[in-house]
Amino acid sequence: MKEPWNNLSRRRFMQLAALGSGGVLLFSQCSKPNSLWRFFTNAEAQLMDAVADQLIPPDEWPGGRESGVTNFIDKQLVGPYVRFQEKYRKGLKAVQNSCETMYFMKFEKLSSVEQISFIEKMEAGELSKTLWTEVTDREFFNLIRDHSMQAFYGSSRQGGNKNNISYKMLQLDYPLIIGQNRYKT
């Protein structure tokens, strides 16, 4: 009696093997979270956007969110700022925990006045010390403010300053190469 597997041709075997390995690869990709961010989760990125818009508020010029502050910080946290990853994780979590304790809602849902008040308390180091145990509120404010300013005023090649908006706002030429502008007349 002949087994059905003995009738399997080499060509058919290769087709089935390719189909099986392709299916394994497809399913493994489907289990990954769908995020555009390198370091931040989607929730952390939304919080970062809200904080960036309070640090660099939009007016006739785009604010922190639209100028790409979150993208800059996200990009740098998997590169030169890798040493700050843990502070961002703990600091952003402490921001949300503090807001939920004080206002019973997330930072992004607060009114602009409440967000500013919260950030002023964070800057002054006046938030509850029980929620800020692993990183201090003042230390995290200084970190996030410094990185936001670097994003807004830095080179767009680093992920921030989208469309060179700060250079246009300050009416500066885009610095293509340092020293190039001295040859313009």
Side-chain angles (χ1 to χ4, degrees), residues 22-142:
V24 167
L25 291 174
L26 177 68
F27 287 122
S28 67
Q29 292 297 316
C30 291
S31 64
K32 286 186 176 180
N34 189 12
S35 176
L36 301 172
W37 305 101
R38 298 163 195 89
F39 173 75
F40 291 132
T41 63
N42 287 336
E44 289 171 336
Q46 288 175 350
L47 173 58
M48 269 301 308
D49 277 342
V51 171
D53 252 1
Q54 290 304 328
L55 294 174
I56 306 168
D59 47 18
E60 67 266 15
W61 296 96
R65 176 190 322 238
E66 197 174 335
S67 64
V69 166
T70 302
N71 184 51
F72 170 85
I73 294 173
D74 182 62
K75 188 174 180 180
Q76 300 307 312
L77 283 173
V78 294
Y81 292 174
V82 71
R83 65 188 179 278
F84 299 116
Q85 284 184 347
E86 194 171 318
K87 285 186 179 180
Y88 269 91
R89 284 271 188 257
K90 292 175 179 174
L92 292 172
K93 185 177 178 183
V95 167
Q96 287 299 27
N97 289 342
S98 296
C99 285
E100 290 175 3
T101 301
M102 295 169 63
Y103 304 102
F104 305 106
M105 62 176 75
K106 292 182 174 185
F107 182 85
E108 307 93 274
K109 302 291 182 189
L110 299 176
S111 69
S112 184
V113 172
E114 290 170 327
Q115 287 180 346
I116 291 170
S117 171
F118 182 86
I119 287 179
E120 286 174 347
K121 288 177 184 171
M122 193 165 82
E123 180 181 17
E126 297 173 351
L127 296 174
S128 172
K129 302 299 178 216
T130 57
L131 297 171
W132 292 85
T133 55
E134 301 187 52
V135 60
T136 66
D137 46 356
R138 179 179 285 178
E139 178 186 8
F140 187 63
F141 171 82
N142 289 334

Side-chain angles (χ1 to χ4, degrees), residues 169-184:
M169 181 182 77
L170 297 171
Q171 298 177 348
L172 296 173
D173 292 335
Y174 176 71
L176 295 174
I177 298 172
I178 293 173
Q180 275 284 324
N181 293 341
R182 67 184 166 166
Y183 299 111
K184 286 187 173 181

